[in-house]
């Protein structure tokens, strides 16, 4: 009973502590007006073959060499009676065709960039890659996602609760310990639960 009360009190504290000021600017930038041609890509992400259902806090960017040629926006679509997410990406160029385009992904929960390995396309003006209802999937090889303490590849209040349970030594759910260190200070504390709640409320 005492542990349950402590658990509830800690979760309430997490919700009451000062949080971030809102959604951040995009990780990458691209001046759309600097290019004459564009093509469109509808994309989704998976991690180690598992679909990433919640794309909030994710960015997919197109590159030609080291030059960013477009940054995705997260959109929603109705599919099979359910709401699904996809990344809408306009890829830019000053040549109508032929430039080699590669991709990177930024996951704000981990504050880390990932190259989409073994994926490149040849730019073709006005072409479309994927569809909103059937986006092209980019798979990332990642050991864990920071903040995803229960290993379901999404960050939710359940992850903050798992951290609180771990702190109180009252967890019956396996904890992905490296992922629970949300603030990256090398230890698991109430600050990590607060950081997870902050992430949820600002993405």
């Amino acid at each position: 009973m005492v542990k349950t009360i402590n658990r509830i009190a800690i979760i309430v504290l997490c919700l009451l502590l000062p949080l971030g000021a809102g959604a951040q600017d995009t990780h990458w930038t691209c001046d759309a007006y600097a290019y004459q041609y564009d093509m469109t890509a509808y994309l989704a992400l998976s991690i180690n073959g598992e679909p990433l259902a919640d794309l909030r806090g994710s960015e997919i960017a197109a590159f030609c060499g080291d030059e960013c040629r477009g940054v995705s926006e997260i959109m929603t679509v109705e599919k099979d009676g359910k709401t699904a997410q996809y990344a809408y990406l306009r890829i830019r160029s000053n040549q109508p065709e032929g430039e080699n385009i590669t991709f990177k992904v930024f996951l704000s929960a981990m504050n880390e960039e990932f190259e989409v390995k073994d994926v490149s396309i040849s730019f073709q003006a006005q072409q479309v890659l994927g569809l909103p209802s059937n986006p092209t999937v980019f798979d990332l090889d990642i050991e864990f996602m920071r903040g995803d303490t229960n290993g379901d590849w999404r960050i939710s209040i359940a992850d903050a609760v798992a951290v609180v349970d771990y702190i109180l030594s009252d967890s019956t759910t396996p904890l992905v310990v490296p992922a629970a260190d949300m603030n990256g200070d090398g230890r698991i504390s109430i600050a990590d639960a607060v950081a997870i709640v902050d992430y949820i409320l600002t993405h």
Side-chain angles (χ1 to χ4, degrees):
M1 180 66 176
V2 172
K3 282 188 176 181
T4 300
I5 293 172
N6 286 342
R7 180 177 178 226
I8 293 170
I10 291 173
I11 293 169
V12 169
L13 178 63
C14 288
L15 294 170
L16 293 177
L17 287 174
L19 299 172
Q24 299 179 347
D25 294 333
T26 58
H27 179 69
W28 291 292
T29 58
C30 173
D31 181 4
Y33 299 104
Y35 301 99
Q36 184 177 358
Y37 304 102
D38 66 43
M39 65 179 291
T40 302
Y42 299 97
L43 306 169
L45 294 174
S46 64
I47 299 178
N48 305 326
E50 292 293 324
L52 185 59
D54 190 351
L55 296 178
R56 291 173 302 171
S58 307
E59 288 181 23
I60 304 173
F63 287 83
C64 183
D66 293 328
E67 185 177 17
C68 181
R69 293 294 185 83
V71 183
S72 67
E73 299 177 50
I74 304 305
M75 313 293 283
T76 59
V77 64
E78 291 293 326
K79 184 177 180 181
D80 300 327
K82 298 179 181 179
T83 300
Q85 296 178 335
Y86 64 89
Y88 171 70
L89 175 61
R90 298 276 296 277
I91 304 168
R92 316 284 179 170
S93 179
N94 280 321
Q95 299 181 28
E97 61 181 20
E99 285 193 310
N100 186 58
I101 303 296
T102 59
F103 301 90
K104 293 182 181 180
V105 174
F106 176 71
L107 298 179
S108 65
M110 302 178 70
N111 194 31
E112 194 167 343
E113 297 177 8
F114 299 90
E115 290 187 12
V116 181
K117 296 179 181 179
D118 303 320
V119 174
S120 65
I121 63 171
S122 179
F123 182 87
Q124 297 286 328
Q126 305 303 314
Q127 292 297 303
V128 177
L129 178 66
L131 295 169
S133 58
N134 187 27
T136 297
V137 179
F138 289 163
D139 187 58
L140 304 177
D141 182 12
I142 304 175
E143 185 177 351
F144 66 88
M145 179 186 292
R146 196 174 298 279
D148 173 31
T149 64
N150 60 12
D152 65 357
W153 295 111
R154 57 190 295 267
I155 299 174
S156 68
I157 195 64
D159 297 302
V161 171
V163 171
V164 172
D165 284 348
Y166 180 83
I167 293 167
L168 296 176
S169 301
D170 191 33
S171 179
T172 57
T173 303
L175 188 77
V176 183
V177 175
D181 181 19
M182 184 68 167
N183 62 11
D185 66 357
R187 60 195 184 92
I188 311 301
S189 69
I190 191 60
D192 297 303
V194 171
I196 291 171
V197 172
D198 190 359
Y199 177 85
I200 293 167
L201 295 180
T202 57
H203 289 81

